[in-house]
Short mmCIF file of all heavy atoms in Angstrom, two decimals:
data_model
loop_
_atom_site.label_atom_id
_atom_site.label_comp_id
_atom_site.label_asym_id
_atom_site.label_seq_id
_atom_site.Cartn_x
_atom_site.Cartn_y
_atom_site.Cartn_z
N ASP A 781 82.92 -50.90 156.14
CA ASP A 781 81.74 -51.50 156.74
C ASP A 781 81.25 -50.60 157.87
O ASP A 781 81.79 -49.52 158.10
CB ASP A 781 81.99 -52.95 157.18
CG ASP A 781 82.71 -53.09 158.52
OD1 ASP A 781 83.15 -52.09 159.11
OD2 ASP A 781 82.84 -54.24 158.98
N ASN A 782 80.23 -51.01 158.59
CA ASN A 782 79.64 -50.18 159.63
C ASN A 782 80.55 -49.95 160.83
O ASN A 782 80.30 -49.07 161.63
CB ASN A 782 78.31 -50.79 160.09
CG ASN A 782 78.51 -52.12 160.76
OD1 ASN A 782 79.09 -53.03 160.18
ND2 ASN A 782 78.03 -52.26 161.97
N ASN A 783 81.63 -50.72 160.94
CA ASN A 783 82.60 -50.56 162.03
C ASN A 783 83.82 -49.75 161.61
O ASN A 783 84.66 -49.43 162.43
CB ASN A 783 83.09 -51.93 162.52
CG ASN A 783 81.97 -52.75 163.08
OD1 ASN A 783 81.43 -52.45 164.13
ND2 ASN A 783 81.60 -53.80 162.37
N GLY A 784 83.93 -49.47 160.31
CA GLY A 784 85.09 -48.76 159.80
C GLY A 784 86.16 -49.66 159.19
O GLY A 784 87.18 -49.17 158.74
N TYR A 785 85.92 -50.97 159.15
CA TYR A 785 86.86 -51.88 158.50
C TYR A 785 86.83 -51.61 156.99
O TYR A 785 85.77 -51.38 156.41
CB TYR A 785 86.48 -53.34 158.73
CG TYR A 785 86.62 -53.80 160.16
CD1 TYR A 785 85.50 -54.17 160.89
CD2 TYR A 785 87.86 -53.89 160.77
CE1 TYR A 785 85.62 -54.62 162.19
CE2 TYR A 785 87.99 -54.33 162.08
CZ TYR A 785 86.85 -54.69 162.79
OH TYR A 785 86.98 -55.13 164.07
N ILE A 786 88.00 -51.65 156.36
CA ILE A 786 88.08 -51.47 154.90
C ILE A 786 87.86 -52.81 154.23
O ILE A 786 88.55 -53.79 154.53
CB ILE A 786 89.44 -50.88 154.48
CG1 ILE A 786 89.65 -49.50 155.10
CG2 ILE A 786 89.53 -50.81 152.95
CD1 ILE A 786 91.05 -48.93 154.88
N LEU A 787 86.90 -52.84 153.30
CA LEU A 787 86.60 -54.03 152.51
C LEU A 787 86.91 -53.72 151.07
O LEU A 787 86.30 -52.82 150.48
CB LEU A 787 85.13 -54.42 152.66
CG LEU A 787 84.58 -54.55 154.08
CD1 LEU A 787 83.10 -54.90 154.05
CD2 LEU A 787 85.37 -55.56 154.90
N GLN A 788 87.88 -54.42 150.49
CA GLN A 788 88.24 -54.22 149.09
C GLN A 788 87.66 -55.36 148.27
O GLN A 788 87.58 -56.51 148.74
CB GLN A 788 89.76 -54.22 148.92
CG GLN A 788 90.44 -53.05 149.58
CD GLN A 788 91.94 -53.18 149.48
OE1 GLN A 788 92.57 -53.73 150.37
NE2 GLN A 788 92.51 -52.68 148.39
N PHE A 789 87.25 -55.04 147.04
CA PHE A 789 86.67 -56.03 146.14
C PHE A 789 87.40 -55.91 144.81
O PHE A 789 87.51 -54.81 144.26
CB PHE A 789 85.18 -55.78 145.95
CG PHE A 789 84.41 -55.85 147.24
CD1 PHE A 789 84.20 -54.70 147.99
CD2 PHE A 789 83.91 -57.05 147.70
CE1 PHE A 789 83.51 -54.76 149.19
CE2 PHE A 789 83.22 -57.11 148.90
CZ PHE A 789 83.03 -55.96 149.65
N GLY A 790 87.90 -57.04 144.29
CA GLY A 790 88.66 -56.98 143.07
C GLY A 790 88.45 -58.16 142.15
O GLY A 790 88.00 -59.24 142.58
N GLN A 791 88.79 -57.93 140.90
CA GLN A 791 88.69 -58.95 139.86
C GLN A 791 89.85 -58.77 138.90
O GLN A 791 90.13 -57.64 138.47
CB GLN A 791 87.36 -58.80 139.12
CG GLN A 791 87.15 -59.78 138.00
CD GLN A 791 85.79 -59.58 137.31
OE1 GLN A 791 85.07 -58.62 137.57
NE2 GLN A 791 85.47 -60.50 136.41
N PRO A 792 90.55 -59.87 138.54
CA PRO A 792 91.62 -59.75 137.54
C PRO A 792 91.05 -59.22 136.22
O PRO A 792 89.99 -59.66 135.77
CB PRO A 792 92.14 -61.17 137.38
CG PRO A 792 91.69 -61.90 138.60
CD PRO A 792 90.41 -61.24 139.03
N VAL A 793 91.78 -58.31 135.61
CA VAL A 793 91.32 -57.70 134.35
C VAL A 793 91.11 -58.75 133.28
O VAL A 793 90.14 -58.69 132.52
CB VAL A 793 92.32 -56.62 133.89
CG1 VAL A 793 92.00 -56.12 132.50
CG2 VAL A 793 92.35 -55.46 134.88
N ASP A 794 91.97 -59.76 133.24
CA ASP A 794 91.84 -60.78 132.18
C ASP A 794 90.63 -61.69 132.34
O ASP A 794 90.31 -62.46 131.45
CB ASP A 794 93.13 -61.60 132.04
CG ASP A 794 93.44 -62.43 133.26
OD1 ASP A 794 92.66 -62.47 134.22
OD2 ASP A 794 94.53 -63.06 133.28
N SER A 795 89.92 -61.60 133.46
CA SER A 795 88.71 -62.41 133.64
C SER A 795 87.43 -61.63 133.39
O SER A 795 86.35 -62.20 133.37
CB SER A 795 88.68 -63.02 135.05
OG SER A 795 88.38 -62.01 136.01
#
Side-chain angles (χ1 to χ4, degrees):
D781 81 354
N782 65 304
N783 298 291
Y785 293 114
I786 298 172
L787 309 178
Q788 294 175 268
F789 300 91
Q791 179 180 8
V793 171
D794 64 4
S795 73

